[in-house]
Amino acid sequence: MNNYQELKVIDNITKLVESSFGIHGKLKLISQVFDHKNEEGENDNVVSSTQKIIFTNDGLNILKSLNNDSPYYRILLQQSNYIKSRFGSGVSQYIILTNNILKRSIKLMSNKGSTTSSSSSTSISTSSFSINQILGIFQECRLFIKNNFNQNFIINLKDEIFKNDQLLETIIKTNFSKNLLSNYCKTICKIFKQLIEILPKLDKNKIKIKTIVSSSEDDNDGGGENNIGYNVMDNENSKNNDNNNNNNNNNNNNNNNNNNNNNNNNGDEDDNNKEIEIKLLNGILIKSKFSFAGRDKLVKVIENPKILLLDYEIELKHQKEFANIEISNVDDYLQFINAEKLLISKQLENIYNLNINLILNKKVIGDLAIQEFVKKNNDNNSNFNNNNNNNNNNINNNNNNNNNNNNNNNNNNNNNNNNNNNNNKNNNNNNNNSYKINCIGSINNINEFESIKKSIGGCTQSSLQSLSMESSFYGTCKKYKQIIFGKKSYELFEGCQFGDTQTIILKGSSKKFLKEAKLGLESLLTTFRSIIVDDDFKFVGASSNFEFIIIKLLNQLINNKKKYYYHHNNQNSLSPNLIKEVLIIKCLQKSIKDIIKLLVLNSNLNLDLIDQLFQGNTVDNDDDDDDDDDDDDDDDDENILASLKSCINIENNSIGNILNLNLFEPKSMKLSILNSSIETSCILLKTIAT
C-alpha cells in the first residue's frame, strides 16, 4: 500500500488540471515563489525570493509549474512534453485519463472480498487480481482498438476543409477552444488559409510569431491595415522626390484605402474592439537595433534590394591599423583623422560600386559610415530634385502659354504637353533607378541573423576590402521596409524568395495576455501541422464521439470473448478467469467514460446526456464504483456501426451529429493520447508491484 500512496502525486496533479479541461475549462492563476539562499553559506535561512505569475489553462504549463521531484511526476512530464510537441494539445486529457486508469486499476487490485457475476452464481475473490493479468488485458484492449478502428470511424476532409470557411472555422474553434484567441476564429481562419497556400506543410522554421505590447496612445497613433498600428516610416528625402501630381494621386489613393478599410472593418464585426489585433506579414520582421545618429535620414523603403550580409565592424576606433598612436601636434591629429576617413571611404566605395542597397551587420556600423550613406543618398536626390524643379518650371510656363493662346496655338500646346509628359517619364525612370542604401548593425542574436540569412539567401562576408562579385553571395527580397508598430521601429523583409517566411503579429496591451495567446497560436499551428503531415486531413469526432466509439469497441471485445467461451465450452455460466477479464475491460471503459462525465460537468450540462449518448449500448451507465457490473447484454456485432456520429452538443445541451455540427479532432492525436495513457499506466503499475 505504501507504493500506492506514492502515486498520490499524480492524483493531486489531476485535481489541478481537471477544472481546466474542455471547452469551458477555467483559467489558472499560478504563483511561483523561488527562494534564494546566501551563496557564502554563512546563513542557511532564506534571504530573498522572487515571484512568477502564470496565467494559463494549458495542461503542460500547469504541470511544469509544479516542479515536483517525484519520479512519477518526471515520467508524466516527459510524455506530456512529447504530446505537446507532436500534436500541440491533448496534455490535459492524457493526464486525466492516465490517473483514471491508475485509480480504477489500484482499486481493482487492492479490494478485499468477493465479486459475484450477475449472469451466474460464480463468485471470485477480487484479491486474486494480479498486475500481470491487468497489464495483459490492457495491452489486448490496445491492440484490439488499433486493429478495429477502421474507416467507418474516420472522416476525410481533405477536399472540403479549405473550400468551406465555416468548416475550417469550426475545426479551429474546436481545437482552439481553451485559448485566449478563441474569439478570433474568423481572423485566424483567414490567416491559416493564406499560410497553407504559401506553406502547404506549415514548416515550423518558416512561421514566426511576434508579440507587440502597445498602449492606448500607440493605438491612436497607428493607422495601418486591418486595424493594427502599422505605418511605413517617412523621411525627408522620400518626400522631396515626390512631385505634386504624385502627392495628389497618393492622397486620393489613401482616401480610397481608408474607405475600403472602413468597409472591411464593418464586415468583421466580431473582430472589432478586441484586446488583441492579429495580422499576417509576408516576410520576416525584426526589431530595429541600436544605431548612431543619422540613420533616420536614410531611405525607409527599397524594392528588390541587393543585401550584403556582413560580420565586420565599420567604425573608426576599431581599425586595427591605428590601434595605438602618439600625436604631438594638431597637424598630425588632422592627418590621422583624414587617413582614417580615407580608409573608411575606400571600403564604402566597394559597396557603392557593387550597387549594394542594404547592409546587415552582426557588428557595429559607426557614425561615420552612416553619415557617408546619408550623403550618398542626398547627392543622388539633389540631382533628381533639380530635374524635377526644371520640369515644374516648364509645366508652369506651358500652362501660362495655354491660358494666353487658347484658340491660336492648340498644336503647339499639344507638343509642349507631350514634351512635358516625356520629361516626367524620364524623371520617373530616374527616380526608380536612383541609388538607395540603408544599413542595420549590431544584430547580435545569432539565431535571428541566421533566420534572416535563410530567408533572403546569400553568404556572410567578413571584410569590405574584397567583396565577392558573384550575385549568389548576396541576399534579396521583393521589398525592404522600415516600419512602425505603435511607437517602436521594426525592419520588414517582404517576399523572401528563398524561405517564404511568414510573420504573424499579435498586438495587445497586456504582456502576459499576449504570451498566453502566442503559446496557444503555436499549439494550433502544431496541431494543423500534424493534421496535414501525419493524418493527411483525416479526423475523428469531437465532443466525446471518439470516446463513445472506443467504449463501443471495448464492448465488442467483451462480446467476442463471451461468444468464444460459449462456443468452445457449452456452458451457460462464465468461468472465473473470463469474469476477471471482463471486469478489467470494464475498468478501462469506465476510465474513458469519466472523461465524458468531466467534460459535461465542466460545461454545466445535464448528466442525463451521457445516458442519452449511450442509449442502446451494453456499457454500464451506473456511476457507482462497484466492480460487479459484468452484465451479459448481448448486442449484435452490427450495432457497433450504429450511431457512430453521435456526440454531445455542448452549445445546446443536447445530443447531436458530428457531421451536422462540424465537430472534428485530429485522428493521430486522439489515438496517441489513448495509447500513451494506457502505456504510462502499465509502466507505473509495474513500479508499484516491485
Side-chain angles (χ1 to χ4, degrees), residues 115-126:
T115 299
T116 302
S117 171
S118 61
S119 61
S120 66
S121 60
T122 305
S123 178
I124 62 171
S125 174
T126 54

Side-chain angles (χ1 to χ4, degrees), residues 398 410-426:
N398 289 326
N410 288 332
N411 294 330
N412 293 332
N413 288 331
N414 290 331
N415 292 331
N416 290 332
N417 289 332
N418 291 331
N419 292 332
N420 290 327
N421 291 332
N422 292 330
N423 290 333
N424 289 332
K425 290 180 180 179
N426 292 332

Side-chain angles (χ1 to χ4, degrees), residues 16-30 55-59 62 92 177-180 516 601-604:
L16 292 174
V17 175
E18 280 180 343
S19 61
S20 65
F21 176 71
I23 294 178
H24 299 288
K26 298 178 181 178
L27 288 168
K28 299 290 184 182
L29 185 62
I30 303 173
F55 184 65
T56 183
N57 57 6
D58 182 78
I62 296 173
S92 296
S177 58
K178 293 174 60 178
N179 189 261
L180 299 175
E516 183 65 18
L601 289 174
N602 286 351
S603 302
N604 295 321

Side-chain angles (χ1 to χ4, degrees), residues 269-531:
E269 295 179 358
D270 61 323
D271 289 338
N272 283 343
N273 301 321
K274 298 293 186 178
E275 296 180 359
I276 293 182
E277 300 175 33
I278 310 172
K279 182 178 177 63
L280 178 65
L281 300 179
N282 180 18
I284 186 168
L285 184 76
I286 64 171
K287 194 172 182 179
S288 296
K289 310 303 177 182
F290 168 79
S291 63
F292 290 98
R295 185 171 181 258
D296 57 326
K297 296 182 180 179
L298 294 174
V299 292
K300 311 304 179 186
V301 179
I302 305 176
E303 294 186 359
N304 299 314
K306 185 177 183 180
I307 305 174
L308 170 64
L309 300 170
L310 197 60
D311 187 7
Y312 178 74
E313 290 184 352
I314 313 176
E315 193 168 10
L316 289 177
K317 60 184 179 181
H318 287 285
Q319 299 298 330
K320 296 180 180 179
E321 291 82 353
F322 305 105
N324 294 292
I325 187 171
E326 293 183 2
I327 300 175
S328 57
N329 56 60
V330 176
D331 292 336
D332 292 341
Y333 175 74
L334 294 176
Q335 185 179 2
F336 166 72
I337 294 297
N338 293 331
E340 280 195 314
K341 288 184 177 180
L342 181 61
L343 180 63
I344 291 289
S345 299
K346 288 182 178 179
Q347 294 177 348
L348 298 183
E349 198 64 32
N350 294 333
I351 295 175
Y352 305 147
N353 293 336
L354 292 173
N355 291 321
I356 294 171
N357 305 112
L358 184 61
I359 303 168
L360 303 183
N361 198 348
K362 291 182 179 180
K363 297 179 181 177
V364 177
I365 299 178
D367 53 351
L368 177 61
I370 293 177
Q371 292 169 13
E372 291 295 325
F373 293 150
V374 173
K375 290 180 181 178
K376 186 69 175 177
N377 284 327
N378 289 338
D379 292 341
N380 291 324
N381 291 330
S382 62
N383 294 330
F384 301 136
N385 289 335
N386 291 333
N387 292 332
N388 287 335
N389 291 330
N390 292 332
N391 291 323
N392 288 331
N393 291 331
N394 291 332
I395 292 172
N396 291 330
N397 292 331
N398 289 326
N399 289 331
N400 292 329
N401 292 331
N402 289 333
N403 291 329
N404 295 327
N405 302 303
N406 286 329
N407 296 322
N408 297 326
N409 297 319
N410 288 332
N411 294 330
N412 293 332
N413 288 331
N414 290 331
N415 292 331
N416 290 332
N417 289 332
N418 291 331
N419 292 332
N420 290 327
N421 291 332
N422 292 330
N423 290 333
N424 289 332
K425 290 180 180 179
N426 292 332
N427 285 327
N428 290 332
N429 292 331
N430 290 334
N431 286 330
N432 292 331
N433 296 327
S434 64
Y435 182 70
K436 299 179 180 180
I437 190 168
N438 202 328
C439 60
I440 306 171
S442 303
I443 308 178
N444 301 321
N445 191 323
I446 297 177
N447 294 331
E448 187 176 53
F449 189 86
E450 291 299 322
S451 178
I452 300 173
K453 180 179 175 181
K454 289 179 181 178
S455 300
I456 64 175
C459 300
T460 305
Q461 303 188 54
S462 57
S463 174
L464 292 176
Q465 301 290 348
S466 55
L467 293 175
S468 175
M469 303 294 291
E470 297 183 12
S471 59
S472 60
F473 277 74
Y474 300 92
T476 185
C477 62
K478 290 184 179 179
K479 183 179 288 188
Y480 158 76
K481 295 180 181 179
Q482 190 174 353
I483 63 177
I484 294 178
F485 282 105
K487 295 184 179 180
K488 296 180 180 179
S489 174
Y490 293 84
E491 317 289 341
L492 175 62
F493 303 86
E494 283 187 344
C496 301
Q497 301 175 359
F498 290 88
D500 290 330
T501 305
Q502 306 294 302
T503 301
I504 301 175
I505 302 297
L506 297 177
K507 181 184 175 185
S509 58
S510 172
K511 186 175 182 180
K512 293 186 180 298
F513 198 87
L514 286 174
K515 183 178 180 181
E516 183 65 18
K518 179 181 178 181
L519 290 175
L521 193 55
E522 290 174 343
S523 298
L524 185 62
L525 285 168
T526 304
T527 300
F528 263 81
R529 196 176 298 117
S530 172
I531 291 172

Side-chain angles (χ1 to χ4, degrees), residues 51-64:
Q51 188 178 21
K52 180 180 179 181
I53 303 298
I54 300 175
F55 184 65
T56 183
N57 57 6
D58 182 78
L60 182 61
N61 290 339
I62 296 173
L63 185 62
K64 286 181 176 180

Side-chain angles (χ1 to χ4, degrees), residues 3 7 72 75 682-690:
N3 289 334
L7 291 176
Y72 301 113
I75 293 173
C682 291
I683 292 173
L684 297 178
L685 288 172
K686 286 181 181 179
T687 61
I688 65 174
T690 57

